[in-house]
Each structure stands twice: as C-alpha cells, then as structure tokens.
C-alpha cells in the first residue's frame, strides 16, 4: 500500500492581452510566464502554498500601445491550495497620446496647453500620457502665448490632430501650430 497525496490543478490565465504582448505577464512561484505561456496550468499538492504576481503594465510590440492590469480574479497571493482554482489577470489596452507644439521658441512663457485640467508649458512639451482605450481626454491650447521678449507673442493658428475631447482608440499626436506676432506702434507728430 502506498501513501497518496491529493493534488489540485491550478490555472493562471489572462484576459485583454493579445499576441503583441511582450515580456513577463505573471510570476508564479518565482517562474516568469509570458503571453505565449498562458494559460499556465500545474498540479500542486493539497496544502501547498502558491504565490503569484501579475505585472501592472505589460509592454506591446506595437509602438504607442501597452496593457494595464485592471483586476485579478482569484484568491489573493499567496494562497494555500485546497482545491482546483483558476486565477485570471484582466488587462485593458492603453495608447500613448502626445501633445506638442510648433512655432514657439524658448521665450514662450505661461500655459501652452491644458490636458485633462493639467497645465503644460513650453518646457513640458512634448507631453505624452497613457490612456485606456475608449477613455476620454480633453485639451485646449492657449492663444495668445506670451513671450519674455517685449513686443512679441505667439498666436495659435491651427491644431493638427483629433478635436477635444479625444475618445482614445489608438496612439495619436496633437500639435498646436503657432505663428509669431510682433507689436507695431504707430505714432503721429504735428
């Protein structure tokens, strides 16, 4: 007669990632698992301890795209194996949205663009942020933009890119195009 140990199947899975996902998605008992390894299933003895950690950000082979961890559906890590279990990391796609300018120079002072209520100056641009697919970004470019040089300012002529608010559906760049203006003084004598 032999002594038997009960084993249970533990499955580690994901939703929301696609074949462009690169790098480690989840670490299970110190073993790194990539997109192509998932779902990962292994047998564990009843009473064994299992640790796991999903990466909060998973890179993509597509420029301007990545994946953000939204939730983990399962027992929290570490857990003791008492039966079969499936752990799922839920991800959403994020895209990079960039705000830039043309026509300004280093004399520009003050707010150039306001993005989701946050003001950005000439020194902050280009400004890039990651946003969830389907999310909304509001922005507005300032006009005119002042200059440290007396009698000089910058007027917004056009904005290239999607109008505000942007519904995020891909990586995009918005550019505020400025033209230089000078103050002209007319005087009359006599």
């Amino acid at each position: 007669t032999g002594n038997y140990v009960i084993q249970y199947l533990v499955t580690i899975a994901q939703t929301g990632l696609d074949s462009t996902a690169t790098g480690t998605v989840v670490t299970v008992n110190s073993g790194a698992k990539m997109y192509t390894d998932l779902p990962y299933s292994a047998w564990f003895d009843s009473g064994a301890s299992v640790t796991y950690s999903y990466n909060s950000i998973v890179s993509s082979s597509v420029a301007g795209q990545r994946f953000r961890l939204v939730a983990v559906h399962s027992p929290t890590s570490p857990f003791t194996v008492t039966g079969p279990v499936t752990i799922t990391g839920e991800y959403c796609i994020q895209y990079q949205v960039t705000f830039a300018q043309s026509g300004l120079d280093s004399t520009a002072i003050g707010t150039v663009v306001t993005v989701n209520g946050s003001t950005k100056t000439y020194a902050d641009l280009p400004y890039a942020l990651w946003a969830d697919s389907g999310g909304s970004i509001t922005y507005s470019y300032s006009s005119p933009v002042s200059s440290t040089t007396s009698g000089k300012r910058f007027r917004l002529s056009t904005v290239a890119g999607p109008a505000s608010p942007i519904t995020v559906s891909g990586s995009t760049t918005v550019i505020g195009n400025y033209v230089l203006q000078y103050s002209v003084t007319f005087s009359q004598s006599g």
Side-chain angles (χ1 to χ4, degrees), residues 172-187:
T172 190
T173 299
V174 181
I175 303 171
N177 298 300
Y178 287 86
V179 293
L180 182 59
Q181 289 186 320
Y182 289 103
S183 172
V184 177
T185 303
F186 294 94
S187 62

Side-chain angles (χ1 to χ4, degrees), residues 9 15 24 29 61 78 80 104 122 144 148 150 159 167 175:
L9 189 63
T15 60
T24 300
N29 285 355
S61 59
T80 301
L104 298 180
Y122 173 82
T148 56
S150 179
V159 175
T167 299
I175 303 171

Side-chain angles (χ1 to χ4, degrees), residues 29 44-45 47-51 78-81:
N29 285 355
F44 289 91
D45 292 351
S49 179
V50 176
T51 61
F79 67 94
T80 301
V81 176

